[in-house]
Amino acid sequence: MENTTIQIKATNNPAIIKFEADRFLTEHKSFEYKNIDDAKNSPLAQQLFYLPFVKTVFISGNFVAVERYNIVEWEEVQNEVAEQITRYINSGHPVIKTDEGGKKLPYTVYAESTPNPSVMKFVANKRLVISTFEFKNIDEAKDAPLAQELFHFPFVKEVFMDENYISITKYDIAEWNDVTMEIREFIRVYLEEGKTVVAENIREQKTNKNTVTDTQYAENLNDTSKQIIEIIEEYVKPAVASDGGNILFESYDEESKIVKLVLQGACSGCPSSTFTLKNGIETMLKEMMHGKVNEVVAING
């Protein structure tokens, strides 16, 4: 059997790095471990927790994703982790002990309203994805089985996924009071049955990679654009994520000093989005960028 090779892949979360193998490590199941005791059925995850900066280990399909504590930067340690994972896999020892791994914690899913009356946020007690995904219709969701199933509900207009939640945009034919319980229970049962949320080979959307942690993307940006992205990542994204949305950097024009941002999830088409941008994000960027930003323009994703 040929040795497995590992590639290091950045994600849209700067704290998480994905170590992608050239073969499958698990069989149609995903596992998340918060500490070494959680990882009793995964010797590989247990080994990784001996590294003091490892916060969470996520194993699914052909990759191992690791979330770090802020005591280090990934550039300092990612090669060491990749080598450790490679050595372990090529040793022939099991990544997951299937005889011990059958018992899984049940999922809980709860619904949260968002500032956008057309969007409801459904939050799970475990991570669902490690990158953001936005689907405008069932054709776009061909590699995301859960999103495809959700589009079979006639009132579902759009589906947005990020970390441990799903934001659903509805058509006006239904009221949330009438359908929230049905959707929440459907998602909970789907997850507990161990079905796939997104396919392992799903192509990350281009907008998922506009982060300064993506080296190839960052090479094409000027210093001002990089500063803007860092401000959005640190100060804006956590707030909009709590409302079931996401904001991505689109472009910066040095002559006009106009910043264009893409709105996703609950932010997209939200009646309060323009107000929030003009009175929040735009003001923040003007103050922090010292004359380099004149205006922020919102583009619905």
Side-chain angles (χ1 to χ4, degrees), residues 128-140:
L128 306 177
V129 293
I130 62 168
S131 294
T132 57
F133 296 98
E134 185 173 51
F135 308 104
K136 297 290 188 180
N137 54 59
I138 196 169
D139 290 334
E140 289 185 4

Side-chain angles (χ1 to χ4, degrees), residues 205-222:
Q205 300 165 18
K206 181 181 178 182
T207 51
N208 287 340
K209 294 190 174 183
N210 66 348
T211 164
V212 289
T213 61
D214 187 316
T215 305
Q216 185 176 0
Y217 179 78
E219 287 176 354
N220 299 321
L221 297 175
N222 56 37

Side-chain angles (χ1 to χ4, degrees), residues 147-184:
Q148 275 198 321
E149 293 289 335
L150 289 169
F151 276 115
H152 285 115
F153 291 93
F155 51 83
V156 171
K157 182 179 181 182
E158 298 174 14
V159 177
F160 175 80
M161 299 179 178
D162 189 8
E163 296 218 350
N164 69 324
Y165 72 85
I166 301 168
S167 290
I168 295 177
T169 306
K170 69 172 181 64
Y171 288 105
D172 292 337
I173 59 170
E175 296 297 328
W176 281 122
N177 287 340
D178 300 325
V179 299
T180 296
M181 287 292 290
E182 181 182 10
I183 290 289
R184 189 179 75 176

Side-chain angles (χ1 to χ4, degrees), residues 12-237:
N12 67 314
N13 185 335
I16 298 175
I17 284 284
K18 195 162 131 180
F19 300 91
E20 193 172 282
D22 57 0
R23 69 175 179 86
F24 283 100
L25 307 176
T26 67
E27 295 182 4
H28 313 298
K29 287 186 180 180
S30 299
F31 301 85
E32 182 178 8
Y33 307 105
K34 295 291 187 182
N35 54 57
I36 198 167
D37 289 334
D38 261 1
K40 288 178 180 177
N41 70 317
S42 176
L44 171 57
Q46 284 191 318
Q47 189 177 108
L48 291 171
F49 277 114
Y50 282 107
L51 300 171
F53 53 84
V54 171
K55 182 179 181 181
T56 307
V57 177
F58 184 83
I59 302 175
S60 179
N62 70 328
F63 69 84
V64 178
V66 179
E67 181 179 12
R68 63 167 172 80
Y69 286 106
N70 291 329
I71 58 173
V72 296
E73 295 297 329
W74 271 122
E75 289 78 6
E76 302 167 3
V77 296
Q78 62 186 23
N79 290 331
E80 173 193 346
V81 177
E83 288 174 11
Q84 185 167 327
I85 293 172
T86 303
R87 281 197 306 271
Y88 182 89
I89 293 171
N90 288 327
S91 72
H93 295 303
V95 174
I96 303 291
K97 292 182 179 178
T98 54
D99 57 330
E100 298 177 21
K103 184 178 179 182
K104 295 195 294 180
L105 291 175
Y107 276 91
T108 59
V109 177
Y110 65 90
E112 281 185 2
S113 58
T114 74
N116 187 338
S118 296
V119 179
M120 187 69 72
K121 178 181 175 183
F122 296 87
V123 185
N125 63 330
K126 295 183 184 179
R127 182 176 282 118
L128 306 177
V129 293
I130 62 168
S131 294
T132 57
F133 296 98
E134 185 173 51
F135 308 104
K136 297 290 188 180
N137 54 59
I138 196 169
D139 290 334
E140 289 185 4
K142 61 183 176 65
D143 293 319
L146 176 52
Q148 275 198 321
E149 293 289 335
L150 289 169
F151 276 115
H152 285 115
F153 291 93
F155 51 83
V156 171
K157 182 179 181 182
E158 298 174 14
V159 177
F160 175 80
M161 299 179 178
D162 189 8
E163 296 218 350
N164 69 324
Y165 72 85
I166 301 168
S167 290
I168 295 177
T169 306
K170 69 172 181 64
Y171 288 105
D172 292 337
I173 59 170
E175 296 297 328
W176 281 122
N177 287 340
D178 300 325
V179 299
T180 296
M181 287 292 290
E182 181 182 10
I183 290 289
R184 189 179 75 176
E185 184 65 9
F186 173 82
I187 294 172
R188 185 190 67 77
V189 171
Y190 186 98
L191 296 174
E192 284 196 345
E193 289 178 351
K195 295 179 180 178
T196 302
V197 177
V198 295
E200 305 303 341
N201 62 344
I202 189 170
R203 183 176 61 87
E204 290 188 2
Q205 300 165 18
K206 181 181 178 182
T207 51
N208 287 340
K209 294 190 174 183
N210 66 348
T211 164
V212 289
T213 61
D214 187 316
T215 305
Q216 185 176 0
Y217 179 78
E219 287 176 354
N220 299 321
L221 297 175
N222 56 37
D223 289 341
T224 302
S225 296
K226 291 177 183 177
Q227 284 181 281
I228 292 169
I229 291 174
E230 287 173 351
I231 292 170
I232 292 169
E233 290 284 336
E234 184 172 356
Y235 297 100
V236 180
K237 280 195 173 185

